[in-house]
mmCIF file of all heavy atoms in Angstrom:
data_model
loop_
_atom_site.group_PDB
_atom_site.id
_atom_site.type_symbol
_atom_site.label_atom_id
_atom_site.label_comp_id
_atom_site.label_asym_id
_atom_site.label_seq_id
_atom_site.Cartn_x
_atom_site.Cartn_y
_atom_site.Cartn_z
ATOM 1 N N GLU A 141 -46.827 157.924 100.612
ATOM 2 C CA GLU A 141 -46.406 159.315 100.808
ATOM 3 C C GLU A 141 -47.334 160.278 100.072
ATOM 4 O O GLU A 141 -47.611 161.375 100.559
ATOM 5 C CB GLU A 141 -44.963 159.499 100.339
ATOM 6 C CG GLU A 141 -43.935 158.785 101.213
ATOM 7 C CD GLU A 141 -42.516 159.099 100.789
ATOM 8 O OE1 GLU A 141 -42.228 160.289 100.520
ATOM 9 O OE2 GLU A 141 -41.690 158.180 100.716
ATOM 10 N N LEU A 142 -47.804 159.872 98.910
ATOM 11 C CA LEU A 142 -48.757 160.712 98.189
ATOM 12 C C LEU A 142 -50.055 160.840 98.985
ATOM 13 O O LEU A 142 -50.639 161.932 99.071
ATOM 14 C CB LEU A 142 -49.039 160.134 96.801
ATOM 15 C CG LEU A 142 -47.891 160.187 95.785
ATOM 16 C CD1 LEU A 142 -48.316 159.519 94.483
ATOM 17 C CD2 LEU A 142 -47.457 161.621 95.513
ATOM 18 N N ASN A 143 -50.508 159.745 99.557
ATOM 19 C CA ASN A 143 -51.725 159.779 100.374
ATOM 20 C C ASN A 143 -51.568 160.726 101.562
ATOM 21 O O ASN A 143 -52.475 161.497 101.882
ATOM 22 C CB ASN A 143 -52.085 158.384 100.869
ATOM 23 C CG ASN A 143 -52.790 157.534 99.826
ATOM 24 O OD1 ASN A 143 -52.982 156.336 100.020
ATOM 25 N ND2 ASN A 143 -53.194 158.108 98.698
ATOM 26 N N VAL A 144 -50.422 160.670 102.204
ATOM 27 C CA VAL A 144 -50.161 161.561 103.344
ATOM 28 C C VAL A 144 -50.232 163.020 102.900
ATOM 29 O O VAL A 144 -50.698 163.886 103.651
ATOM 30 C CB VAL A 144 -48.784 161.252 103.975
ATOM 31 C CG1 VAL A 144 -48.393 162.338 104.981
ATOM 32 C CG2 VAL A 144 -48.810 159.892 104.649
ATOM 33 N N ALA A 145 -49.806 163.284 101.658
ATOM 34 C CA ALA A 145 -49.806 164.654 101.128
ATOM 35 C C ALA A 145 -51.170 165.069 100.577
ATOM 36 O O ALA A 145 -51.307 166.157 100.021
ATOM 37 C CB ALA A 145 -48.744 164.784 100.039
ATOM 38 N N GLY A 146 -52.176 164.204 100.720
ATOM 39 C CA GLY A 146 -53.519 164.552 100.265
ATOM 40 C C GLY A 146 -53.802 164.206 98.819
ATOM 41 O O GLY A 146 -54.746 164.730 98.227
ATOM 42 N N VAL A 147 -52.997 163.315 98.225
ATOM 43 C CA VAL A 147 -53.158 162.938 96.823
ATOM 44 C C VAL A 147 -53.785 161.548 96.723
ATOM 45 O O VAL A 147 -53.229 160.576 97.241
ATOM 46 C CB VAL A 147 -51.816 162.950 96.073
ATOM 47 C CG1 VAL A 147 -52.012 162.541 94.611
ATOM 48 C CG2 VAL A 147 -51.172 164.332 96.158
ATOM 49 N N GLU A 148 -54.927 161.474 96.076
ATOM 50 C CA GLU A 148 -55.554 160.181 95.802
ATOM 51 C C GLU A 148 -54.824 159.505 94.645
ATOM 52 O O GLU A 148 -54.481 160.153 93.652
ATOM 53 C CB GLU A 148 -57.023 160.376 95.419
ATOM 54 C CG GLU A 148 -57.724 159.101 94.971
ATOM 55 C CD GLU A 148 -59.012 159.358 94.213
ATOM 56 O OE1 GLU A 148 -59.366 160.546 94.005
ATOM 57 O OE2 GLU A 148 -59.668 158.376 93.805
ATOM 58 N N VAL A 149 -54.604 158.198 94.759
ATOM 59 C CA VAL A 149 -53.989 157.432 93.676
ATOM 60 C C VAL A 149 -55.054 156.548 93.054
ATOM 61 O O VAL A 149 -55.647 155.700 93.720
ATOM 62 C CB VAL A 149 -52.813 156.579 94.186
ATOM 63 C CG1 VAL A 149 -52.229 155.746 93.041
ATOM 64 C CG2 VAL A 149 -51.734 157.470 94.791
ATOM 65 N N ARG A 150 -55.305 156.775 91.761
ATOM 66 C CA ARG A 150 -56.317 156.038 91.023
ATOM 67 C C ARG A 150 -55.623 155.040 90.102
ATOM 68 O O ARG A 150 -54.985 155.420 89.127
ATOM 69 C CB ARG A 150 -57.179 156.996 90.197
ATOM 70 C CG ARG A 150 -57.885 158.062 91.026
ATOM 71 C CD ARG A 150 -58.620 159.048 90.147
ATOM 72 N NE ARG A 150 -59.419 159.988 90.933
ATOM 73 C CZ ARG A 150 -60.157 160.966 90.404
ATOM 74 N NH1 ARG A 150 -60.189 161.120 89.072
ATOM 75 N NH2 ARG A 150 -60.848 161.769 91.188
ATOM 76 N N TYR A 151 -55.783 153.758 90.402
ATOM 77 C CA TYR A 151 -55.129 152.732 89.596
ATOM 78 C C TYR A 151 -56.019 152.267 88.443
ATOM 79 O O TYR A 151 -57.215 152.030 88.605
ATOM 80 C CB TYR A 151 -54.809 151.517 90.458
ATOM 81 C CG TYR A 151 -53.477 151.577 91.165
ATOM 82 C CD1 TYR A 151 -53.400 151.518 92.549
ATOM 83 C CD2 TYR A 151 -52.287 151.670 90.444
ATOM 84 C CE1 TYR A 151 -52.172 151.553 93.216
ATOM 85 C CE2 TYR A 151 -51.053 151.713 91.093
ATOM 86 C CZ TYR A 151 -51.010 151.648 92.467
ATOM 87 O OH TYR A 151 -49.796 151.681 93.107
ATOM 88 N N LEU A 152 -55.384 152.115 87.277
ATOM 89 C CA LEU A 152 -55.970 151.437 86.131
ATOM 90 C C LEU A 152 -54.992 150.340 85.718
ATOM 91 O O LEU A 152 -53.785 150.458 85.943
ATOM 92 C CB LEU A 152 -56.206 152.413 84.969
ATOM 93 C CG LEU A 152 -57.208 153.546 85.239
ATOM 94 C CD1 LEU A 152 -57.252 154.494 84.045
ATOM 95 C CD2 LEU A 152 -58.594 152.998 85.518
ATOM 96 N N ALA A 153 -55.516 149.288 85.122
ATOM 97 C CA ALA A 153 -54.688 148.117 84.819
ATOM 98 C C ALA A 153 -54.090 148.193 83.413
ATOM 99 O O ALA A 153 -54.762 148.597 82.464
ATOM 100 C CB ALA A 153 -55.522 146.843 84.962
ATOM 101 N N PHE A 154 -52.829 147.786 83.316
ATOM 102 C CA PHE A 154 -52.174 147.732 82.011
ATOM 103 C C PHE A 154 -51.217 146.537 81.990
ATOM 104 O O PHE A 154 -50.005 146.694 82.154
ATOM 105 C CB PHE A 154 -51.413 149.023 81.720
ATOM 106 C CG PHE A 154 -51.031 149.186 80.271
ATOM 107 C CD1 PHE A 154 -51.931 149.707 79.352
ATOM 108 C CD2 PHE A 154 -49.772 148.821 79.826
ATOM 109 C CE1 PHE A 154 -51.583 149.852 78.011
ATOM 110 C CE2 PHE A 154 -49.411 148.967 78.496
ATOM 111 C CZ PHE A 154 -50.322 149.482 77.587
ATOM 112 N N PRO A 155 -51.759 145.326 81.805
ATOM 113 C CA PRO A 155 -50.896 144.138 81.743
ATOM 114 C C PRO A 155 -50.064 144.151 80.463
ATOM 115 O O PRO A 155 -50.583 143.897 79.372
ATOM 116 C CB PRO A 155 -51.892 142.977 81.762
ATOM 117 C CG PRO A 155 -53.171 143.556 81.232
ATOM 118 C CD PRO A 155 -53.187 144.988 81.649
ATOM 119 N N ARG A 156 -48.791 144.442 80.595
ATOM 120 C CA ARG A 156 -47.942 144.654 79.417
ATOM 121 C C ARG A 156 -47.838 143.414 78.535
ATOM 122 O O ARG A 156 -47.613 143.533 77.326
ATOM 123 C CB ARG A 156 -46.536 145.076 79.867
ATOM 124 C CG ARG A 156 -46.486 146.419 80.587
ATOM 125 C CD ARG A 156 -45.123 146.647 81.195
ATOM 126 N NE ARG A 156 -44.781 145.586 82.145
ATOM 127 C CZ ARG A 156 -43.568 145.421 82.660
ATOM 128 N NH1 ARG A 156 -42.578 146.228 82.313
ATOM 129 N NH2 ARG A 156 -43.333 144.450 83.529
ATOM 130 N N ALA A 157 -47.994 142.241 79.123
ATOM 131 C CA ALA A 157 -47.886 141.002 78.347
ATOM 132 C C ALA A 157 -49.125 140.735 77.507
ATOM 133 O O ALA A 157 -49.146 139.793 76.715
ATOM 134 C CB ALA A 157 -47.620 139.825 79.286
ATOM 135 N N GLY A 158 -50.151 141.555 77.684
ATOM 136 C CA GLY A 158 -51.355 141.404 76.876
ATOM 137 C C GLY A 158 -52.507 140.795 77.637
ATOM 138 O O GLY A 158 -52.401 140.436 78.815
ATOM 139 N N LEU A 159 -53.629 140.675 76.948
ATOM 140 C CA LEU A 159 -54.862 140.224 77.579
ATOM 141 C C LEU A 159 -54.984 138.704 77.627
ATOM 142 O O LEU A 159 -55.948 138.184 78.196
ATOM 143 C CB LEU A 159 -56.062 140.828 76.835
ATOM 144 C CG LEU A 159 -56.119 142.361 76.841
ATOM 145 C CD1 LEU A 159 -57.318 142.857 76.038
ATOM 146 C CD2 LEU A 159 -56.169 142.905 78.265
ATOM 147 N N ASP A 160 -54.043 138.002 77.050
ATOM 148 C CA ASP A 160 -54.029 136.539 77.126
ATOM 149 C C ASP A 160 -52.743 136.117 77.816
ATOM 150 O O ASP A 160 -51.887 135.432 77.250
ATOM 151 C CB ASP A 160 -54.121 135.935 75.724
ATOM 152 C CG ASP A 160 -54.225 134.412 75.754
ATOM 153 O OD1 ASP A 160 -54.630 133.875 76.807
ATOM 154 O OD2 ASP A 160 -53.871 133.768 74.752
ATOM 155 N N SER A 161 -52.586 136.560 79.066
ATOM 156 C CA SER A 161 -51.329 136.331 79.779
ATOM 157 C C SER A 161 -51.587 136.095 81.261
ATOM 158 O O SER A 161 -52.672 136.391 81.785
ATOM 159 C CB SER A 161 -50.407 137.549 79.625
ATOM 160 O OG SER A 161 -50.970 138.679 80.294
ATOM 161 N N ALA A 162 -50.572 135.556 81.935
ATOM 162 C CA ALA A 162 -50.652 135.359 83.383
ATOM 163 C C ALA A 162 -50.774 136.705 84.098
ATOM 164 O O ALA A 162 -51.471 136.827 85.108
ATOM 165 C CB ALA A 162 -49.424 134.597 83.877
#
Side-chain angles (χ1 to χ4, degrees):
E141 291 185 44
L142 291 177
N143 280 170
V144 169
V147 180
E148 174 197 1
V149 178
R150 302 175 174 180
Y151 272 120
L152 297 175
F154 195 84
R156 295 170 301 169
L159 299 178
D160 185 21
S161 67

